[in-house]
Amino acid sequence: MSKASGIADLSAAKLRSWLLARMRGQKEDPPVSELHMEGPDDYVATIYEQSRDKAFRTRLEKAAVAALAEAAQGSLREGPDARAVRYLAELVDTLELRAAESTLREIAERGAFGGHGGALDPEAEELVLFALAGLQAAGELYSKWLAIWTSELPHLWPVVTAGLRISDPDRALEILPEAVERARRYPAFPLGDVLWAFATDPTYKPGVIAGALASLSNEARRRCRDALSALGAEKDELDAWVPDRGPEGSTTPAWARRKKGPELPPRFHDRAAA
């Protein structure tokens, strides 16, 4: 009998215990492959996605939510429960378990989300916020995300942009020019990833991202284009998201900025001279 089939036979309570032991690092069976940069949650997500047993999938969903709630009762500054929360947050996010939203929110409130910077293990907090961003109810948490965005917690700013965008797509557009400026002041800020997430979000209609970035200087626009190009954006995508508007401050049409030459119709210059 394979490991996966044995796990599929476990009750919800035993699944919860198995998950907690695995995510806490107490008993990782089957072992985690560090060579393939695997986390203990990856195997669980794989057996869930490959299973056609609806009853098992339901038990595993409930067990994952319950395991997260149990781990959250422990110390989350460091140690096995902080580790478990880190990987369980990834798991409930991957499986899109909305039943975990309230627990994620409770954990987040113990940290920066509740105004308590530095109270949680940094990696666990970041992953909890990322999962919460994807599982949150629309519009409810926007002010919470905005409070972290305006705080001096640069390591959380990237995930906060996702929280803002998913909470209220229209209002979130207002932070884009500031995000570009922050990337200039904080080189670790992943400008390309943030812009890509906004630009490829199907919520936005064509031209919306370009409009949100319309106030940027040409130098800032070049930084945006370079950051997106580094992620593989094509020229047509760049022109749609961050149009190159030519020389700084110029409102003259492109043809009129060119020097007089035989390739231009004489009437353009004749009229100017007249």
Side-chain angles (χ1 to χ4, degrees), residues 31-46:
V32 174
S33 174
E34 295 183 2
L35 180 64
H36 296 94
M37 300 181 69
E38 184 183 54
D41 57 297
D42 292 321
Y43 173 73
V44 182
T46 297

PDB file of all heavy atoms in Angstrom, residues 31-46:
ATOM      1  N   PRO A  31       9.476  11.913   3.468  1.00  0.00           N
ATOM      2  CA  PRO A  31      10.364  13.042   3.714  1.00  0.00           C
ATOM      3  C   PRO A  31      10.233  14.143   2.666  1.00  0.00           C
ATOM      4  O   PRO A  31       9.778  13.911   1.540  1.00  0.00           O
ATOM      5  CB  PRO A  31      11.759  12.399   3.680  1.00  0.00           C
ATOM      6  CG  PRO A  31      11.581  11.182   2.832  1.00  0.00           C
ATOM      7  CD  PRO A  31      10.207  10.678   3.146  1.00  0.00           C
ATOM      8  N   VAL A  32      10.642  15.335   3.065  1.00  0.00           N
ATOM      9  CA  VAL A  32      10.615  16.497   2.160  1.00  0.00           C
ATOM     10  C   VAL A  32      11.884  16.496   1.326  1.00  0.00           C
ATOM     11  O   VAL A  32      12.980  16.257   1.844  1.00  0.00           O
ATOM     12  CB  VAL A  32      10.517  17.809   2.971  1.00  0.00           C
ATOM     13  CG1 VAL A  32      10.642  19.014   2.050  1.00  0.00           C
ATOM     14  CG2 VAL A  32       9.202  17.849   3.732  1.00  0.00           C
ATOM     15  N   SER A  33      11.758  16.755   0.034  1.00  0.00           N
ATOM     16  CA  SER A  33      12.908  16.800  -0.862  1.00  0.00           C
ATOM     17  C   SER A  33      13.465  18.216  -0.938  1.00  0.00           C
ATOM     18  O   SER A  33      12.927  19.072  -1.643  1.00  0.00           O
ATOM     19  CB  SER A  33      12.520  16.319  -2.267  1.00  0.00           C
ATOM     20  OG  SER A  33      13.592  16.492  -3.175  1.00  0.00           O
ATOM     21  N   GLU A  34      14.530  18.469  -0.193  1.00  0.00           N
ATOM     22  CA  GLU A  34      15.159  19.795  -0.237  1.00  0.00           C
ATOM     23  C   GLU A  34      15.805  20.038  -1.594  1.00  0.00           C
ATOM     24  O   GLU A  34      15.918  21.179  -2.036  1.00  0.00           O
ATOM     25  CB  GLU A  34      16.194  19.915   0.884  1.00  0.00           C
ATOM     26  CG  GLU A  34      15.587  19.869   2.285  1.00  0.00           C
ATOM     27  CD  GLU A  34      16.635  20.060   3.367  1.00  0.00           C
ATOM     28  OE1 GLU A  34      17.803  20.263   3.015  1.00  0.00           O
ATOM     29  OE2 GLU A  34      16.272  19.999   4.551  1.00  0.00           O
ATOM     30  N   LEU A  35      16.229  18.952  -2.255  1.00  0.00           N
ATOM     31  CA  LEU A  35      16.858  19.074  -3.574  1.00  0.00           C
ATOM     32  C   LEU A  35      15.924  19.752  -4.559  1.00  0.00           C
ATOM     33  O   LEU A  35      16.350  20.530  -5.413  1.00  0.00           O
ATOM     34  CB  LEU A  35      17.262  17.686  -4.087  1.00  0.00           C
ATOM     35  CG  LEU A  35      17.928  17.633  -5.470  1.00  0.00           C
ATOM     36  CD1 LEU A  35      19.263  18.375  -5.443  1.00  0.00           C
ATOM     37  CD2 LEU A  35      18.136  16.188  -5.909  1.00  0.00           C
ATOM     38  N   HIS A  36      14.637  19.464  -4.431  1.00  0.00           N
ATOM     39  CA  HIS A  36      13.643  20.043  -5.338  1.00  0.00           C
ATOM     40  C   HIS A  36      12.935  21.250  -4.710  1.00  0.00           C
ATOM     41  O   HIS A  36      11.866  21.653  -5.174  1.00  0.00           O
ATOM     42  CB  HIS A  36      12.614  18.979  -5.724  1.00  0.00           C
ATOM     43  CG  HIS A  36      13.193  17.841  -6.499  1.00  0.00           C
ATOM     44  ND1 HIS A  36      13.624  16.665  -5.910  1.00  0.00           N
ATOM     45  CD2 HIS A  36      13.453  17.699  -7.828  1.00  0.00           C
ATOM     46  CE1 HIS A  36      14.094  15.856  -6.836  1.00  0.00           C
ATOM     47  NE2 HIS A  36      14.003  16.450  -8.005  1.00  0.00           N
ATOM     48  N   MET A  37      13.545  21.821  -3.665  1.00  0.00           N
ATOM     49  CA  MET A  37      12.996  22.995  -2.991  1.00  0.00           C
ATOM     50  C   MET A  37      11.544  22.760  -2.581  1.00  0.00           C
ATOM     51  O   MET A  37      10.689  23.621  -2.741  1.00  0.00           O
ATOM     52  CB  MET A  37      13.127  24.230  -3.895  1.00  0.00           C
ATOM     53  CG  MET A  37      14.552  24.567  -4.272  1.00  0.00           C
ATOM     54  SD  MET A  37      14.689  26.025  -5.312  1.00  0.00           S
ATOM     55  CE  MET A  37      14.213  27.308  -4.156  1.00  0.00           C
ATOM     56  N   GLU A  38      11.292  21.580  -2.065  1.00  0.00           N
ATOM     57  CA  GLU A  38       9.938  21.202  -1.671  1.00  0.00           C
ATOM     58  C   GLU A  38       9.661  21.591  -0.224  1.00  0.00           C
ATOM     59  O   GLU A  38      10.544  21.504   0.629  1.00  0.00           O
ATOM     60  CB  GLU A  38       9.780  19.685  -1.833  1.00  0.00           C
ATOM     61  CG  GLU A  38       8.388  19.169  -1.540  1.00  0.00           C
ATOM     62  CD  GLU A  38       8.314  17.658  -1.656  1.00  0.00           C
ATOM     63  OE1 GLU A  38       9.119  16.973  -1.000  1.00  0.00           O
ATOM     64  OE2 GLU A  38       7.465  17.171  -2.400  1.00  0.00           O
ATOM     65  N   GLY A  39       8.456  22.029   0.055  1.00  0.00           N
ATOM     66  CA  GLY A  39       8.021  22.293   1.417  1.00  0.00           C
ATOM     67  C   GLY A  39       7.151  21.142   1.880  1.00  0.00           C
ATOM     68  O   GLY A  39       6.619  20.382   1.047  1.00  0.00           O
ATOM     69  N   PRO A  40       6.959  20.965   3.173  1.00  0.00           N
ATOM     70  CA  PRO A  40       6.124  19.860   3.657  1.00  0.00           C
ATOM     71  C   PRO A  40       4.677  19.943   3.192  1.00  0.00           C
ATOM     72  O   PRO A  40       3.959  18.940   3.194  1.00  0.00           O
ATOM     73  CB  PRO A  40       6.239  19.975   5.180  1.00  0.00           C
ATOM     74  CG  PRO A  40       6.682  21.367   5.444  1.00  0.00           C
ATOM     75  CD  PRO A  40       7.528  21.748   4.280  1.00  0.00           C
ATOM     76  N   ASP A  41       4.224  21.126   2.802  1.00  0.00           N
ATOM     77  CA  ASP A  41       2.856  21.275   2.309  1.00  0.00           C
ATOM     78  C   ASP A  41       2.690  20.808   0.867  1.00  0.00           C
ATOM     79  O   ASP A  41       1.573  20.499   0.436  1.00  0.00           O
ATOM     80  CB  ASP A  41       2.423  22.747   2.415  1.00  0.00           C
ATOM     81  CG  ASP A  41       3.373  23.668   1.649  1.00  0.00           C
ATOM     82  OD1 ASP A  41       4.563  23.726   2.030  1.00  0.00           O
ATOM     83  OD2 ASP A  41       2.930  24.319   0.689  1.00  0.00           O
ATOM     84  N   ASP A  42       3.786  20.766   0.100  1.00  0.00           N
ATOM     85  CA  ASP A  42       3.685  20.429  -1.323  1.00  0.00           C
ATOM     86  C   ASP A  42       3.144  19.019  -1.548  1.00  0.00           C
ATOM     87  O   ASP A  42       2.307  18.788  -2.424  1.00  0.00           O
ATOM     88  CB  ASP A  42       5.056  20.574  -2.004  1.00  0.00           C
ATOM     89  CG  ASP A  42       5.514  22.021  -2.074  1.00  0.00           C
ATOM     90  OD1 ASP A  42       4.665  22.894  -2.319  1.00  0.00           O
ATOM     91  OD2 ASP A  42       6.711  22.282  -1.873  1.00  0.00           O
ATOM     92  N   TYR A  43       3.641  18.066  -0.771  1.00  0.00           N
ATOM     93  CA  TYR A  43       3.178  16.685  -0.914  1.00  0.00           C
ATOM     94  C   TYR A  43       1.687  16.585  -0.599  1.00  0.00           C
ATOM     95  O   TYR A  43       0.936  15.878  -1.287  1.00  0.00           O
ATOM     96  CB  TYR A  43       3.973  15.771   0.019  1.00  0.00           C
ATOM     97  CG  TYR A  43       3.462  14.351   0.076  1.00  0.00           C
ATOM     98  CD1 TYR A  43       3.656  13.470  -0.987  1.00  0.00           C
ATOM     99  CD2 TYR A  43       2.759  13.895   1.192  1.00  0.00           C
ATOM    100  CE1 TYR A  43       3.168  12.170  -0.941  1.00  0.00           C
ATOM    101  CE2 TYR A  43       2.274  12.589   1.246  1.00  0.00           C
ATOM    102  CZ  TYR A  43       2.477  11.735   0.176  1.00  0.00           C
ATOM    103  OH  TYR A  43       1.993  10.452   0.231  1.00  0.00           O
ATOM    104  N   VAL A  44       1.256  17.297   0.420  1.00  0.00           N
ATOM    105  CA  VAL A  44      -0.157  17.260   0.811  1.00  0.00           C
ATOM    106  C   VAL A  44      -1.029  17.818  -0.309  1.00  0.00           C
ATOM    107  O   VAL A  44      -2.075  17.241  -0.647  1.00  0.00           O
ATOM    108  CB  VAL A  44      -0.386  18.052   2.117  1.00  0.00           C
ATOM    109  CG1 VAL A  44      -1.850  17.965   2.533  1.00  0.00           C
ATOM    110  CG2 VAL A  44       0.516  17.532   3.227  1.00  0.00           C
ATOM    111  N   ALA A  45      -0.599  18.929  -0.887  1.00  0.00           N
ATOM    112  CA  ALA A  45      -1.364  19.517  -1.988  1.00  0.00           C
ATOM    113  C   ALA A  45      -1.422  18.570  -3.180  1.00  0.00           C
ATOM    114  O   ALA A  45      -2.453  18.467  -3.856  1.00  0.00           O
ATOM    115  CB  ALA A  45      -0.733  20.848  -2.397  1.00  0.00           C
ATOM    116  N   THR A  46      -0.328  17.853  -3.419  1.00  0.00           N
ATOM    117  CA  THR A  46      -0.284  16.929  -4.556  1.00  0.00           C
ATOM    118  C   THR A  46      -1.262  15.773  -4.381  1.00  0.00           C
ATOM    119  O   THR A  46      -2.013  15.434  -5.308  1.00  0.00           O
ATOM    120  CB  THR A  46       1.142  16.379  -4.747  1.00  0.00           C
ATOM    121  OG1 THR A  46       2.026  17.458  -5.061  1.00  0.00           O
ATOM    122  CG2 THR A  46       1.182  15.358  -5.884  1.00  0.00           C
TER     123      THR A  46
END
